C-alpha cells in the first residue's frame, strides 16, 4: 500500500503581469504533492507543459501536466530498475534521459509520447547528474562513484568519471565515451567524485568535483579536458553557533567552497552553489562549504560572492535555520539561470533554508537580490520554464 501523499514535488511560481515593478517578482501559483515518496530532480519539456521528476525511494519517475499551471495534474508514473538520480529532456521534447543508480547502472531513454523506456544505455558506475547540450548533440553524465563509508576518509575506489552520450541519429545508434577525471584535483586525485554537470552553447561541460573543491571543463566534441581549477576558499561573517541566537558576527575563515550545482551564465561565466560536503573535516573544527554562491570567470577567477548577505536576507524573513549554524548554514545546493521578460535571472536554492533566492544578472559582477521564494522542505531541483514565465522547484523533504 502506498503511503499518504506527503511530499511536495513542485512549488510553481509565475511572473505576474507586465506591470510588476521588477522582473524577479514571482508569485506562488500552485503546489503539487507526489503520489510516491520523494521528489528530487525535475525537468520540463521545451513547451513547458510537462514536468518529469525523480523519486528514488519508489524507484520511479513521475509525469505532471502543466497545461494549466495553476492546476498541475499527475499523468502517470514509470518504474525504473534502480534509483533515479537525475533527469533531463531532449531539446525536441521526444525523450527524457534518466540516470538510474543500480547494481548495473544505466541511462534510461524514456519516450515522452508512450512514457515507456525505449532503451537502457549501460553506465559503468554510479550516476549522479545528467545534462543535455543546447544543440541536442550530446548528453553528459557525472558518474560520481561516491565513497561507500562516510566515516572513513577519501580516497575510496573506484574513481568517478564523466560519460558523454552521442545523441545524433536514432536512439538505437546513440553511443557513449568515458572521460577520466582522475589525476586532476590536488586533494584526492585518485577519487574525483564528480557531482554536477552543466553544458554551454560551445559544448563545453563544466563539472564540479565537490569533495575535491574543484571544477573541470570538458570539450564534449572530442572528450578533452580544456581547463580545470580549484574553487578555493572563502572568508566572511557568518553565524557559526547553534545557540538559539541568530547573529552574523562570527567569522567563517578559509572555508572550502565545495560546490554542488553549477550553471553557465549567458555571459560565459560559471556560478556555483557552495554547499560543502566533506564532513570529516568538521571533527577538526574546520568548516566546509561557503554558505553562499560564487560567480567565476571561465578561467576560475572570482567575479562575485555575496558573503553573509544571502543568509542575512533569509534570517530577516525567518528562513535561517539556526540549528544548522555549526554545520553548513542554509546549504546552498542548486543554481539555475533563466531569462524572464528580457532580464537574466539567477536562482539559488538553499536546501536547509527551504527557499530560493532570485538575483538579477544584469551585471554578472554585481548581482542584485530581487526576491526570496519560500519553498517546500529541502528544495533540490530548480526548473526554469522561460517561455511560459514559470519557475518550479522540486522538494525532497
Amino acid at each position: 500500500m502506498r503511503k499518504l501523499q506527503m511530499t511536495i514535488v513542485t512549488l510553481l511560481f509565475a511572473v505576474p503581469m507586465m506591470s510588476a515593478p521588477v522582473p524577479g517578482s514571482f508569485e506562488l501559483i500552485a503546489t503539487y504533492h507526489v503520489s510516491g515518496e520523494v521528489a528530487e530532480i525535475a525537468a520540463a519539456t521545451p513547451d513547458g507543459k510537462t514536468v518529469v521528476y525523480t523519486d528514488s525511494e519508489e524507484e520511479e519517475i513521475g509525469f505532471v501536466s502543466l497545461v494549466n499551471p495553476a492546476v498541475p495534474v499527475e499523468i502517470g508514473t514509470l518504474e525504473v530498475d534502480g534509483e533515479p538520480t537525475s533527469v533531463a529532456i531532449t531539446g525536441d521534447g521526444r525523450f527524457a534521459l534518466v540516470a538510474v543508480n543500480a547494481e548495473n547502472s544505466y541511462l534510461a531513454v524514456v519516450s515522452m509520447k508512450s512514457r515507456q523506456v525505449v532503451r537502457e544505455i549501460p553506465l559503468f558506475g554510479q550516476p549522479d547528474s545528467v545534462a543535455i547540450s543546447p544543440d541536442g548533440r550530446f548528453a553528459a553524465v557525472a558518474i560520481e562513484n561516491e565513497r561507500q563509508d562516510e566515516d572513513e576518509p577519501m580516497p575510496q575506489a573506484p574513481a568517478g568519471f564523466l560519460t558523454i552520450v552521442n545523441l545524433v541519429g536514432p536512439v538505437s545508434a546513440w553511443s557513449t565515451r568515458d572521460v577520466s577525471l582522475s589525476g586532476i584535483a590536488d586533494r584526492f586525485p585518485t577519487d574525483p567524485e564528480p557531482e554536477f554537470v552543466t553544458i554551454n552553447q560551445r559544448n563545453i561541460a563544466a563539472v564540479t568535483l565537490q569533495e575535491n573543491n574543484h571544477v573541470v571543463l570538458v570539450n564534449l566534441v572530442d572528450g578533452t579536458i580544456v581547463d580545470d581549477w580549484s574553487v578555493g576558499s572563502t572568508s566572511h561573517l557568518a553565524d557559526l553557533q547553534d545557540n538559539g541566537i541568530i547573529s552574523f558576527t562570527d567569522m567563517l575563515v578559509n572555508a572550502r567552497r565545495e560546490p554542488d550545482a553549477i550553471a553557465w551564465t549567458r555571459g560565459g561565466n560559471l556560478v556555483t552553489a557552495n554547499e560543502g560536503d566533506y564532513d570529516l573535516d568538521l571533527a577538526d573544527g574546520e568548516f566546509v562549504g561557503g554558505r553562499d554562491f560564487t560567480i567565476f570567470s571561465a578561467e576560475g577567477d572570482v567575479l562575485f560572492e555575496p558573503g553573509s548577505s544571502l543568509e542575512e536576507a533569509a534570517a530577516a524573513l525567518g528562513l535561517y535555520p539556526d540549528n544548522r549554524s555549526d554545520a553548513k548554514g542554509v546549504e546552498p545546493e542548486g543554481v539555475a539561470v533563466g531569462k524572464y521578460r528580457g532580464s537574466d535571472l539567477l536562482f539559488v536554492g538553499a536546501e536547509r533554508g527551504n527557499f530560493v533566492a532570485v538575483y538579477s544578472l544584469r551585471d554578472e559582477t554585481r548581482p542584485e537580490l530581487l526576491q526570496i521564494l519560500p519553498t517546500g522542505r529541502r528544495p533540490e531541483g530548480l526548473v526554469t520554464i522561460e517561455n511560459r514565465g514559470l519557475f518550479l522547484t522540486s522538494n525532497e523533504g
Side-chain angles (χ1 to χ4, degrees):
M1 178 181 295
R2 283 194 183 276
K3 296 182 180 179
L4 294 176
Q5 300 177 5
M6 295 295 291
T7 304
I8 296 176
V9 58
T10 67
L11 279 173
L12 192 60
F13 300 88
V15 177
M17 300 299 291
M18 292 295 290
S19 59
V22 291
S25 291
F26 289 83
E27 58 186 14
L28 178 65
I29 62 169
T31 63
Y32 176 79
H33 295 259
V34 302
S35 59
E37 291 291 323
V38 300
E40 188 171 8
I41 301 300
T45 52
D47 62 9
K49 294 182 179 180
T50 305
V51 167
V52 181
Y53 68 88
T54 63
D55 183 341
S56 60
E57 293 294 324
E58 291 288 336
E59 297 191 349
E60 67 183 20
I61 60 173
F63 303 84
V64 178
S65 170
L66 297 185
V67 172
N68 179 356
V71 187
V73 176
E74 184 165 315
I75 54 178
T77 58
L78 174 65
E79 291 185 1
V80 292
D81 187 16
E83 299 180 8
T85 59
S86 185
V87 60
I89 297 177
T90 56
D92 57 11
R94 296 176 59 198
F95 302 103
L97 305 186
V98 184
V100 181
N101 181 30
E103 184 176 354
N104 295 302
S105 296
Y106 64 97
L107 186 69
V109 183
V110 178
S111 166
M112 291 299 295
K113 182 177 181 179
S114 67
R115 297 198 291 276
Q116 297 296 318
V117 176
V118 296
R119 186 182 172 192
E120 296 181 0
I121 300 174
L123 298 172
F124 300 100
Q126 174 207 41
D128 196 352
S129 169
V130 58
I132 296 174
S133 62
D135 64 8
R137 295 169 56 197
F138 305 103
V141 186
I143 307 296
E144 183 176 15
N145 288 344
E146 66 182 347
R147 58 199 183 279
Q148 297 301 305
D149 190 343
E150 293 264 344
D151 296 322
E152 292 296 323
M154 294 172 67
Q156 293 181 29
F161 52 92
L162 185 73
T163 292
I164 302 172
V165 186
N166 301 308
L167 304 180
V168 177
V171 172
S172 60
W174 292 357
S175 60
T176 63
R177 295 169 284 147
D178 293 338
V179 178
S180 172
L181 301 176
S182 297
I184 298 174
D186 293 331
R187 270 179 69 74
F188 309 111
T190 63
D191 192 7
E193 290 202 15
E195 185 78 23
F196 202 93
V197 59
T198 181
I199 307 171
N200 68 7
Q201 298 285 345
R202 298 186 296 114
N203 288 319
I204 302 298
V207 187
T208 55
L209 313 184
Q210 186 170 20
E211 294 81 1
N212 279 275
N213 205 40
H214 215 82
V215 166
V216 180
L217 303 185
V218 179
N219 185 330
L220 298 182
V221 176
D222 57 15
T224 59
I225 294 173
V226 295
D227 203 358
D228 72 276
W229 29 268
S230 169
V231 298
S233 62
T234 183
S235 300
H236 57 76
L237 291 174
D239 183 353
L240 303 180
Q241 302 177 61
D242 175 9
N243 58 5
I245 301 173
I246 299 176
S247 176
F248 297 92
T249 55
D250 301 317
M251 195 69 186
L252 188 70
V253 179
N254 296 330
R256 289 191 305 275
R257 294 182 171 98
E258 293 189 3
D260 187 327
I262 187 169
W264 287 100
T265 69
R266 297 179 195 272
N269 298 310
L270 286 160
V271 56
T272 61
N274 303 327
E275 178 193 27
D277 187 71
Y278 198 61
D279 287 341
L280 287 179
D281 287 336
L282 294 178
D284 300 322
E286 181 179 354
F287 286 98
V288 296
R291 305 182 183 218
D292 58 5
F293 65 92
T294 307
I295 297 180
F296 294 93
S297 71
E299 294 73 36
D301 299 318
V302 175
L303 302 180
F304 175 83
E305 192 163 75
S308 65
S309 65
L310 173 61
E311 291 190 317
E312 290 189 55
L317 296 175
L319 295 173
Y320 179 80
D322 183 60
N323 64 335
R324 301 292 300 177
S325 291
D326 58 351
K328 303 165 194 166
V330 299
E331 288 193 35
E333 182 173 16
V335 288
V337 174
K339 197 176 192 70
Y340 291 81
R341 294 216 313 264
S343 297
D344 290 337
L345 302 181
L346 166 65
F347 301 87
V348 181
E351 180 183 11
R352 299 293 181 172
N354 303 326
F355 67 83
V356 171
V358 185
Y359 287 82
S360 166
L361 285 180
R362 181 173 56 182
D363 182 347
E364 295 188 3
T365 66
R366 293 190 302 172
E368 176 189 359
L369 178 62
L370 301 177
Q371 193 175 13
I372 287 183
L373 309 175
T375 67
R377 290 186 60 239
R378 300 182 67 179
E380 288 278 335
L382 311 182
V383 184
T384 57
I385 309 177
E386 302 169 35
N387 58 334
R388 302 191 70 195
L390 303 174
F391 173 72
L392 175 148
T393 68
S394 54
N395 313 280
E396 71 169 352

